[in-house]
Amino acid sequence: MSTYETNFRKSIDDPEEFWAEAAEGIDWYQKWDSVVDRSNPPFYRWFRGGELNTCYNAVDRHVESGRGDQVAIIHDSPVTGTITKITYRELQERVAGFAGALRAQGINKGDTVIIYMPMIPEAAVAMLACARIGAVHSVVFGGFAAHELAIRIDHAQPKAIIIASGAIEGKKTLAYKPLVDTAIEQSDHKPDKCIIFQRDCVTAELSNSRDVNWEDIIQDAQPADCVPVQATDPLYILYTSGTTGMPKGVMRDNGGHAVALNWSMKNIYKVKPGDVYWAASDVGWVVGHSYIIYGPLFYGCTTIIYEGKPIGTPDAGAFWRVINQHNVKVLFTAPTAFRAIKKEDPKGEFLKKYNLDGFQTLFLAGERLDPDTYHWASDLLKVPVIDHWWQTETAWAIVANPMGIEQFSVKAGSPTKPVPGYDVRILDDAGNELEPGQEGNIVIKLPLPPGTLATLWRNDERFVKSYMEAFPGYYETSDGGYMDEDGYIYVMGRIDDVINIAGHRLSTGAMEEVVSTHQDVAECAVFGTDDELKGQKPVGLIVLKAGVSRDEEEIKTELVQMVRNQIGPIACYRETAVVKRLPKTRSGKILRGTMRAIAAGKEYRMPSTIDDPVILDEITEDLKKLGYPG
Ligand code: COA
Ligand code: AMP
């Protein structure tokens, strides 16, 4: 058996032994009673009875073992023209200090805290400080509008919200405070405190008794020590798009998460402690949680917090400059970033200015890696380009070329094989296993490995309904695809109403909820279409209420603004067609899949349940006017 097969088989046949060995990479106050508690399926619990502290494992233990003077975080910020380096010792001081300040503000073990910050080191300090005192953080991506933040405030019920005064997004400066104030106004739950980190680029007014300055509250605070928490206690909640306007609050535990991410650094990414590891994403996404903050820090690497874009800050050579300047070994980003670079600099001229000799591997994820981008990146960089597939729910890769175990030859279009721990199967809708090459539902046999979602925050029922009910005994990924004869997995895309725009996960259902509230809209459908740069983008079809005679262009502009205001600019909602009717089944279900196929120019089967087939011809004509299929 190959090294991969030996590892993979052991992880599936004897997960207890496999993960107990991996858990040796983590420091525990107390060892677990059971590696995986199977007593209450589908709720599996890893390392029950174990006690640890996530912040201790990410920070303090490295100082104690002699890495205190090693740089832990490089903040590289082309938008402010600054580069700041923070050693593990300095990070420990800052985190302990801020953790003490949080305590002094009344935040304790088990309390929830929302963090709404851009790509600055204080975002990491805030997350780690929560982990240090056993508080549960929920980071919200800065590109979400006030309404989305309000939804998360109401659901997470944070005792405090930690924000920066603002962000620099490309060439724009955004003030966060007014947005956060609006969100708190909209939410029923009111946090006790709003802790504001003031940045030079924009000053936030302290407008009520809830507001306090970060700098003020750390002045007199006593540094806080790491508190032991149960392995099964929540570390964070991360809201991710589902099929409706109510996002899913993925709950991550402490123990399984630390074990899995620490294991992944060596076995998937093949880095060593001390190496510089760069995930060019955002702390608001799961990639940011796992591979800007926790993974690299657990493993004693140097991580980069990059406050910039792949292009325009200042040019398409930005990534090569960062790799060169900081001696980056591994870069992890989304294919969109590479498509953006390729569009600006197709011949890779900028690369000639930099020395990338130390660069080892490029990892891509977040959306399908199209073969063109794969070939362009590998030809240009001349290092392995590794596609890997995962989800917010899993926190780490389900399918990947595990560079630290064995490197498989790449088949463009496939992220290769299941990672140890993930028993991936392809099932038809009735739950029968499909033959190689046959496309179906990609599912994972339970139990999922450590690090994956323990449940949905305050919603066990939705957890079971969303992931565990369709195929009993399996986790439903909601991605469709197939496995080939060699065991390579091909992920063909979501089979629900979730779309990926520039590597950002968004819900067309949520956009529909916004569009349908427009006074002139009788009914609507929003679905994803292909986009050359961003992978996917949304398009909306609306039916106007009887008697509406306003200028249609005006209505479309209002819809764009409504989606920007309520979900955020990252939804990239720009296109609407006014149609006479929407295609539906006889029971009234809108045929989004069929419209998606028409827009993509793909063959589709006429749904047998369709109410009136003529509507499809009308829709085809309407989509043609918008330029689909492109
Ligand atoms: N805060 C506030 N607004 C944000 C934001 C943030 N953190 N991130 C994006 N936005 C805004 C943008 O300014 C833009 O606003 P606009 O419509 O007013 O211009 C809008 O949201 C859309 O942003 P985006 O889709 O990112 O488009 P872009 O044209 O600004 O940039 C890319 C295009 C390809 C350069 C950019 O999408 C990118 O870097 N993608 C990589 C994706 C990535 O790292 N994903 C992480 C998952 S691994
Ligand atoms: P997120 O939860 O934001 O990480 O988005 C998860 C979704 O992104 C998955 O369900 C997939 O649809 C898609 N995705 C992520 N990585 C890949 C990949 N390597 N190949 C294809 N799709 C991917």
Side-chain angles (χ1 to χ4, degrees):
M1 270 206 283
S2 69
T3 322
Y4 163 78
E5 275 162 19
T6 312
N7 269 277
F8 181 77
R9 281 288 18 123
K10 186 169 169 184
S11 76
I12 302 302
D13 298 339
D14 192 354
E16 274 82 357
E17 194 178 321
F18 185 89
W19 290 112
E21 272 170 29
E24 296 300 329
I26 289 302
D27 284 31
W28 300 83
Y29 299 117
Q30 181 165 322
K31 287 276 166 80
W32 49 90
D33 300 326
S34 64
V35 178
V36 56
D37 174 357
R38 300 168 186 263
S39 62
N40 183 27
F43 299 91
Y44 295 87
R45 289 287 180 265
W46 287 92
F47 305 107
R48 191 183 284 290
E51 280 182 10
L52 77 162
N53 182 280
T54 287
C55 179
Y56 177 81
N57 277 282
V59 183
D60 301 59
R61 67 167 173 168
H62 302 308
V63 179
E64 288 168 19
S65 69
R67 278 188 192 282
D69 296 326
Q70 183 198 309
V71 173
I73 294 177
I74 300 172
H75 178 223
D76 186 305
S77 171
V79 295
T80 56
T82 58
I83 291 176
T84 314
K85 297 185 177 178
I86 301 169
T87 64
Y88 270 101
R89 195 184 320 284
E90 288 161 347
L91 184 61
Q92 184 187 33
E93 278 166 22
R94 288 201 200 187
V95 172
F98 188 62
L102 287 179
R103 273 241 180 91
Q105 295 298 310
I107 294 143
N108 290 302
K109 191 171 170 178
D111 290 336
T112 50
V113 173
I114 280 189
I115 298 172
Y116 188 75
M117 292 183 120
M119 291 292 285
I120 54 176
E122 286 70 20
V125 170
M127 291 163 78
L128 292 162
C130 288
R132 194 172 188 86
I133 57 172
V136 183
H137 64 68
S138 185
V139 183
V140 178
F141 177 59
F144 280 120
H147 173 71
E148 288 288 324
L149 182 56
I151 291 177
R152 287 154 175 80
I153 292 173
D154 270 335
H155 195 262
Q157 309 215 325
K159 210 160 190 186
I161 172 158
I162 305 172
I163 69 166
S165 54
I168 304 176
E169 170 45 32
K171 293 188 172 57
K172 294 172 282 192
T173 301
L174 309 172
Y176 274 9
K177 184 66 179 8
L179 191 149
V180 173
D181 283 345
T182 308
I184 297 176
E185 257 168 47
Q186 283 181 14
S187 60
D188 293 328
H189 173 84
K190 309 291 175 197
D192 295 345
K193 294 284 168 202
C194 178
I195 301 168
I196 304 152
F197 178 76
Q198 301 281 1
R199 301 190 73 190
D200 292 341
C201 58
V202 46
T203 305
E205 295 290 326
L206 306 196
S207 46
N208 60 52
S209 58
R210 185 171 50 224
D211 298 341
V212 288
N213 272 327
W214 173 300
E215 290 300 335
D216 295 340
I217 62 166
I218 57 173
Q219 291 304 325
D220 307 318
Q222 284 296 315
D225 268 344
C226 296
V227 302
V229 300
Q230 292 287 314
T232 47
D233 279 346
L235 168 67
Y236 70 75
I237 312 159
L238 179 55
Y239 288 91
T240 188
S241 298
T243 50
T244 67
M246 184 62 216
K248 294 166 165 171
V250 165
M251 194 281 252
R252 197 85 60 210
D253 67 10
N254 277 273
H257 175 252
V259 170
L261 290 193
N262 191 61
W263 181 91
S264 73
M265 294 304 292
K266 173 170 184 252
N267 292 286
I268 298 179
Y269 299 100
K270 201 186 178 183
V271 285
K272 293 193 291 297
D275 283 349
V276 181
Y277 179 100
W278 177 27
S281 176
D282 188 286
V283 285
W285 304 112
V286 70
V287 176
H289 282 63
S290 294
Y291 293 113
I292 297 176
I293 311 295
Y294 289 116
L297 295 180
F298 284 144
Y299 207 56
C301 291
T302 297
T303 187
I304 298 184
I305 296 184
Y306 175 67
E307 193 180 18
K309 297 251 176 187
I311 51 170
T313 56
D315 53 41
F319 275 20
W320 323 141
R321 194 268 303 159
V322 174
I323 294 173
N324 180 177
Q325 189 164 355
H326 304 305
N327 198 19
V328 171
K329 284 268 161 45
V330 163
L331 166 64
F332 176 169
T333 190
T336 297
F338 267 72
R339 285 196 294 269
I341 297 170
K342 180 176 156 213
K343 197 168 164 212
E344 295 253 314
D345 181 21
K347 295 210 175 92
E349 297 293 340
F350 278 106
L351 189 62
K352 294 182 187 146
K353 288 169 58 182
Y354 302 101
N355 176 354
L356 265 57
D357 285 352
F359 185 47
Q360 209 170 272
T361 324
L362 169 66
F363 282 86
L364 296 169
E367 55 181 323
R368 185 175 142 76
L369 172 59
D370 53 289
D372 273 2
T373 307
Y374 165 74
H375 289 300
W376 185 80
S378 357
D379 294 347
L380 183 73
L381 296 172
K382 302 192 170 47
V383 296
V385 174
I386 306 299
D387 180 15
H388 57 332
W389 167 62
W390 49 297
Q391 311 181 313
T392 304
E393 285 83 348
T394 64
W396 60 291
I398 308 166
V399 173
N401 209 330
M403 298 298 280
I405 300 178
E406 189 175 332
Q407 186 181 349
F408 302 124
S409 52
V410 170
K411 300 189 192 185
S414 166
T416 73
K417 300 194 191 184
V419 172
Y422 290 98
D423 191 353
V424 178
R425 310 286 176 99
I426 313 290
L427 305 184
D428 68 14
D429 290 345
N432 304 307
E433 212 156 324
L434 292 170
E435 295 293 319
Q438 287 185 312
E439 202 171 318
N441 302 283
I442 314 183
V443 300
I444 304 164
K445 194 160 188 289
L446 298 177
L448 291 172
T452 52
L453 80 171
T455 187
L456 292 179
W457 185 247
R458 297 202 288 113
N459 207 339
D460 286 348
E461 209 178 297
R462 190 173 181 195
F463 168 79
V464 174
K465 200 161 181 287
S466 305
Y467 305 110
M468 305 295 175
E469 230 168 52
F471 304 102
Y474 299 88
Y475 164 83
E476 182 187 11
T477 66
S478 292
D479 275 305
Y482 63 94
M483 189 185 289
D484 74 6
E485 298 281 355
D486 302 321
Y488 281 56
I489 305 284
Y490 290 75
V491 182
M492 305 311 288
R494 299 285 300 199
I495 45 184
D496 58 8
D497 295 329
V498 164
I499 58 174
N500 268 75
I501 307 167
H504 304 147
R505 174 165 161 179
L506 288 140
S507 162
T508 53
M511 294 182 219
E512 259 176 40
E513 285 179 26
V514 175
V515 172
S516 66
T517 60
H518 189 285
Q519 57 183 10
D520 297 330
V521 172
E523 57 177 354
C524 67
V526 179
F527 55 92
T529 54
D530 295 341
D531 183 74
E532 218 177 300
L533 174 65
K534 297 188 179 180
Q536 283 186 294
K537 67 179 171 194
V539 59
L541 302 189
I542 57 168
V543 179
L544 294 177
K545 284 182 182 160
V548 172
S549 57
R550 289 181 56 206
D551 179 3
E552 288 182 4
E553 291 312 309
E554 244 177 53
I555 296 174
K556 290 180 193 173
T557 309
E558 285 162 9
L559 291 174
V560 170
Q561 206 49 50
M562 281 170 71
V563 177
R564 283 181 78 88
N565 289 349
Q566 295 203 41
I567 296 179
I570 47 157
C572 296
Y573 181 86
R574 294 204 179 93
E575 291 180 320
T576 312
V578 179
V579 299
K580 283 204 254 8
R581 318 175 275 176
L582 291 173
K584 289 186 192 161
T585 61
R586 279 188 286 276
S587 60
K589 199 166 165 272
I590 294 175
L591 291 161
R592 285 185 196 75
T594 313
M595 289 191 280
R596 247 194 327 257
I598 296 174
K602 287 190 187 142
E603 290 208 359
Y604 61 90
R605 216 179 308 134
M606 178 67 70
S608 57
T609 52
I610 192 163
D611 182 31
D612 180 359
V614 177
I615 303 181
L616 291 184
D617 298 333
E618 292 172 13
I619 296 289
T620 306
E621 283 310 306
D622 289 323
L623 283 169
K624 251 190 213 153
K625 284 183 212 147
L626 280 185
Y628 296 106

